[in-house]
């Protein structure tokens, strides 16, 4: 198997677990928007402790403070596709911290590979 690398951009959105958008968890709304945009993938990570702009510490160690744990939504795709997705987050502005990081994606290719993955519009994804 041979490693294949590609330049990519990692989008991370940090929100509170209790944040909502039209009665739906905000992290779920972001994942569904990324999926609808045909991005390569999105994952949600729940933190066990953290604080944000309010400087209030949220932790899973104390029951009374575990109501709004930090959540990170991470999406990785080509820079062009991530930057094209940013306006779709525009309605959610002010609801979390967004960071962009250049990264490198490593995939192994070999004889057992399946067909190339494409987005709903047939464009090649990472």
């Amino acid at each position: 198997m041979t490693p294949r690398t590609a330049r990519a951009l990692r989008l991370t959105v940090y929100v509170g677990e209790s944040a909502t958008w039209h009665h739906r968890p905000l992290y779920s709304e972001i994942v569904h928007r990324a999926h609808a945009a045909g991005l390569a993938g999105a994952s949600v990570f729940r933190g066990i402790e953290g604080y944000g702009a309010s400087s209030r510490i949220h932790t899973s160690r104390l029951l009374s403070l575990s109501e709004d744990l930090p959540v990170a939504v991470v999406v990785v795709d080509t820079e062009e596709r991530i930057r094209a997705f940013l306006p779709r987050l525009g309605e959610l502005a002010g609801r979390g911290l967004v960071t962009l990081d250049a990264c490198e994606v490593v995939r192994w290719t070999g004889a057992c590979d399946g067909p190339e993955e494409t987005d709903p519009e047939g464009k090649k994804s990472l």
Side-chain angles (χ1 to χ4, degrees):
M1 295 192 350
T2 306
R4 184 178 69 167
T5 63
R7 311 275 291 142
L9 196 62
R10 177 178 50 226
L11 164 74
T12 306
V13 183
Y14 300 91
V15 298
E17 185 177 31
S18 66
T20 60
W21 178 257
H22 295 286
H23 310 291
R24 175 186 211 169
L26 182 56
Y27 59 84
S28 181
E29 179 66 22
I30 295 167
V31 167
H32 282 82
R33 287 182 185 210
H35 184 259
L39 296 178
S43 297
V44 179
F45 300 94
R46 183 178 190 224
I48 58 172
E49 188 166 28
Y51 70 92
S54 70
S55 293
R56 181 171 174 236
I57 294 180
H58 302 273
T59 178
S60 61
R61 291 181 290 142
L62 300 172
L63 186 59
S64 63
L65 297 177
S66 65
E67 300 164 348
D68 192 23
L69 292 172
V71 173
V73 182
V74 179
V75 183
V76 177
D77 208 315
T78 64
E79 180 172 359
E80 176 183 295
R81 293 169 61 90
I82 291 291
R83 292 200 182 277
F85 177 66
L86 287 175
R88 296 187 186 198
L89 294 177
E91 293 178 358
L92 310 175
R95 306 251 177 179
L97 172 68
V98 176
T99 62
L100 296 171
D101 302 292
C103 63
E104 189 171 3
V105 174
V106 179
R107 295 182 76 175
W108 281 266
T109 58
C112 297
D113 288 344
E116 293 281 333
E117 293 183 27
T118 57
D119 71 7
E121 298 173 358
K123 297 177 185 171
K124 189 174 175 182
S125 191
L126 283 179

